[in-house]
Amino acid sequence: MKPRSRFGTALGAVAMAATIPLVLAGCSGSGGSTSSGKVDSITVLDYYNQGNDKTVIGDYLDKCGAANGVKINRTLVPGSSLIQKVLQQASSKTLPDVLMLDNPDLQQIAATGALSPLTDYGISTDGYAKGVLDAGTYKDKVYGLAPTVNTIALFYNKDILDKAGITPPTTWDELKTDAKKLTKGSQYGFAVDANATYEGTWQFLPFMWSNGGDEKDINTPQTEEALSLWTDLVKDGSMSKSVVNWTQADVNDQFIAGKTAMMINGPWQIPGLKDSKVDYGIAQIPVQSTSDTAVAPLGGEVWTVPNTGDKAKQKVAAKIVDCMNSEKNQLGMAKLRYTIPSKTAAAEQFGIDVPAEQVFVDLVASARARTGELGEDWPKAATKIYTAVQSSLTGQSSPADALKNAQSSN
């Protein structure tokens, strides 16, 4: 989950989605239909507005448009502005024909009635990992599909670990021991993003979930043990106190600068790591014991078909979404964007073609959708989690009290 574009929207904007009524029948204001009813253009809204993502997604949208005989008119907005713009468009009856959403936001938007089920257009949902379908589902209907997805894993500096005679840790005890041994001078052993945003929650989830913790109630021994691990790493100096303010990009900068030997991060950092010439490796996130299985959160964006009221254009829009999700296009985009195809067969082929990212392929296969259990209530739980993390890591409360207080908050 890249900063912002791989994570959640501002909670206030999301909350508005449930309160603004949408009157959508006959509301298309995007044009693109001729007098004969033939669709000649489709409007698309997404937040891939920078660098490689902007180019790759644009190329594939154009390719899918050409394959279906329509021109793609694409609008790009900053990630933080997307939901607010969608709400405004819904109110003014100018929703785009194809809408991209960060997967945790789909529930809130689908709940307003702004989206149409993809199965209404004959789009197959076969062959996707469970977490991918969970992320695109609202009330048992699939409203969005993600061509590629991502998650997070353990990155380590091979040179630093080799010199210390350390192999990547697989358990929490090994992580604590190794991180302490790798901490010296200005170099920390381990780093995470523990800031007070959904991104901080995203990074904590593998530790909580893999230990049996659950977002429905974070005031449990399992989640306390996970938070105690992070807190102990800060207390003993193996992890910088500054992690409470770092973004994932900051963590990556620390890693590239040699100021941390290991970090939790995602595959979107790989281009920068390659440019830096750091000799890095990727491994599974450590779990409490060897009998536990790493459970990672699913990142990535879903493509949807809004209810614009123009049935002809909605059908063509669905063809664009379907095209973006073909195995061939998933694989092509994944290789160019350092993400993982969401269809299992395509992901397996990706692992063969790009063995350096096999760890992410393995994690995505069993990754969990953040909204899988709580749906529209996920943002509330995410806020409670990062609030507890902040309280504990800054020493304001013990891990147990931090989780108790956060769980009881509104």
Side-chain angles (χ1 to χ4, degrees):
M1 167 141 307
K2 281 186 181 177
R4 180 54 201 92
S5 70
R6 298 282 192 250
F7 213 73
T9 57
L11 181 58
V14 168
M16 287 177 64
T19 61
I20 295 181
L22 305 182
V23 183
L24 296 170
C27 68
S28 177
S30 57
S33 296
T34 66
S35 58
S36 65
K38 181 181 182 297
V39 177
D40 55 19
S41 66
I42 290 291
T43 57
V44 176
L45 176 63
D46 67 81
Y47 59 48
Y48 295 120
N49 61 347
Q50 295 180 0
N52 186 56
D53 280 349
K54 176 181 178 180
T55 301
V56 173
I57 296 300
D59 288 345
Y60 274 85
L61 282 170
D62 288 341
K63 181 187 299 185
C64 287
N68 288 282
V70 294
K71 178 184 178 183
I72 300 296
N73 293 321
R74 186 183 181 201
T75 299
L76 300 167
V77 297
S80 59
S81 304
L82 180 66
I83 296 303
Q84 185 61 41
K85 186 170 183 66
V86 171
L87 295 173
Q88 291 170 348
Q89 289 179 329
S91 180
S92 62
K93 302 179 182 180
T94 57
L95 283 163
D97 301 307
V98 176
L99 171 64
M100 184 224 71
L101 293 167
D102 195 15
N103 79 73
D105 295 332
L106 179 133
Q107 295 271 340
Q108 290 90 347
I109 301 304
T112 68
L115 307 177
S116 55
L118 297 183
T119 49
D120 285 358
Y121 307 100
I123 295 178
S124 174
T125 58
D126 293 340
Y128 290 87
K130 180 180 182 300
V132 174
L133 291 183
D134 286 347
T137 299
Y138 173 70
K139 290 189 174 180
D140 299 324
K141 292 186 178 181
V142 177
Y143 288 86
L145 288 173
T148 68
V149 291
N150 61 74
T151 188
I152 46 181
L154 177 75
F155 285 75
Y156 59 96
N157 186 307
K158 290 183 178 180
D159 292 336
I160 293 176
L161 266 67
D162 285 348
K163 289 179 181 178
I166 292 173
T167 56
T170 59
T171 66
W172 288 2
D173 284 344
E174 290 176 358
L175 175 61
K176 292 174 72 172
T177 299
D178 294 347
K180 185 66 174 177
K181 186 175 181 179
L182 293 166
T183 299
K184 49 185 170 183
S186 61
Q187 174 186 292
Y188 290 94
F190 187 56
V192 298
D193 163 357
N195 68 27
T197 70
Y198 295 168
E199 197 172 277
T201 295
W202 154 265
Q203 288 239 325
F204 183 68
L205 288 176
F207 296 87
M208 181 180 84
W209 281 344
S210 300
N211 199 46
D214 191 275
E215 58 268 35
K216 293 195 294 280
D217 182 2
I218 62 173
N219 184 27
T220 65
Q222 292 85 358
T223 302
E224 181 187 343
E225 289 172 349
L227 185 52
S228 294
L229 170 68
W230 277 25
T231 304
D232 289 346
L233 287 165
V234 170
K235 281 183 177 180
D236 75 6
S238 300
M239 191 159 68
S240 172
K241 294 179 180 179
S242 297
V243 296
V244 295
N245 298 314
W246 286 350
T247 65
Q248 292 179 123
D250 295 329
V251 172
N252 192 54
D253 288 342
Q254 295 290 317
F255 185 77
I256 288 174
K259 293 184 177 180
T260 184
M262 299 180 289
M263 69 169 178
I264 301 299
N265 229 311
W268 55 86
Q269 305 293 9
I270 290 176
L273 290 170
K274 287 184 174 179
D275 290 342
S276 74
K277 307 303 181 185
V278 172
D279 189 11
Y280 68 92
I282 309 172
Q284 294 265 0
I285 294 177
V287 292
Q288 187 178 55
S289 71
T290 54
S291 61
D292 295 328
T293 301
V295 181
L298 186 78
E301 291 78 24
V302 295
W303 294 85
T304 70
V305 177
N307 277 317
T308 63
D310 188 329
K311 299 303 181 183
K313 296 193 72 175
Q314 286 179 218
K315 288 180 180 179
V316 177
K319 291 180 180 179
I320 301 300
V321 172
D322 199 21
C323 175
M324 293 287 283
N325 279 280
S326 73
E327 287 191 19
K328 180 180 178 181
N329 287 342
Q330 285 193 3
L331 191 58
M333 281 185 275
K335 290 179 179 179
L336 292 170
R337 298 183 57 230
Y338 297 92
T339 49
I340 309 301
S342 60
K343 287 186 175 180
T344 302
E348 291 173 352
Q349 184 61 50
F350 179 86
I352 294 171
D353 296 345
V354 191
E357 292 190 54
Q358 182 63 48
V359 170
F360 290 111
V361 173
D362 294 339
L363 287 168
V364 161
S366 58
R368 281 181 54 184
R370 283 157 282 171
T371 53
E373 287 193 347
L374 296 178
E376 299 167 71
D377 290 333
W378 162 250
K380 295 178 183 178
T383 301
K384 291 180 179 181
I385 291 169
Y386 72 63
T387 298
V389 170
Q390 286 271 306
S391 180
S392 183
L393 266 59
T394 57
Q396 297 177 50
S397 305
S398 67
D401 286 343
L403 292 166
K404 179 181 178 180
N405 294 336
Q407 180 61 38
S408 62
S409 65
N410 294 327

